[in-house]
Amino acid sequence: MNTVVDSNIKINKVFFRDEKVFFDLEDGREIGAPLKWYPKLLNASEKERLNFSISPSGYGVHWKELDEDLSAYGMLHYNQELNTQSR
């Protein structure tokens, strides 16, 4: 079975709970991911985490202070096991 995923998923709300970041989506879904997947958010203060803006288009979230950007599409397709980062 093939599932079509809309890359234009709009974010209505961003919130944090239980060491996770969540997006409430325009289509009624709520999606979330562990903060440990996003070290800049994990290591940020609560004040820094709450200082974000949802893009005018509604497709992404930006934390200017933290230089971090997330999208609903990216969160839906992100696979921590396949993601590697060189240090």
Side-chain angles (χ1 to χ4, degrees), residues 3-20:
T3 304
V4 176
V5 178
D6 184 357
S7 62
N8 298 319
I9 302 165
K10 291 191 179 183
I11 301 164
N12 285 333
K13 180 180 169 187
V14 179
F15 64 97
F16 298 88
R17 182 179 65 223
D18 302 325
E19 296 297 315
K20 295 180 182 175

Side-chain angles (χ1 to χ4, degrees), residues 40-60:
K40 290 180 184 180
L41 291 176
L42 176 65
N43 296 314
S45 69
E46 181 178 359
K47 182 179 177 182
E48 290 171 322
R49 285 183 195 156
L50 296 176
N51 187 19
F52 62 84
S53 58
I54 298 174
S55 67
S57 63
Y59 303 132

Side-chain angles (χ1 to χ4, degrees), residues 17-34:
R17 182 179 65 223
D18 302 325
E19 296 297 315
K20 295 180 182 175
V21 57
F22 292 91
F23 295 162
D24 276 341
L25 305 180
E26 181 181 68
D27 64 7
R29 289 182 288 173
E30 177 182 288
I31 61 172

Side-chain angles (χ1 to χ4, degrees), residues 3 6 9 16-17 23 28 33 35-36 46 51 59 62 68-69 75 80-81 83 87:
T3 304
D6 184 357
I9 302 165
F16 298 88
R17 182 179 65 223
F23 295 162
L35 287 176
K36 68 181 182 180
E46 181 178 359
N51 187 19
Y59 303 132
H62 178 66
E68 181 72 278
D69 295 281
M75 190 181 286
Q80 180 66 18
E81 292 175 6
N83 184 43
R87 293 195 184 233

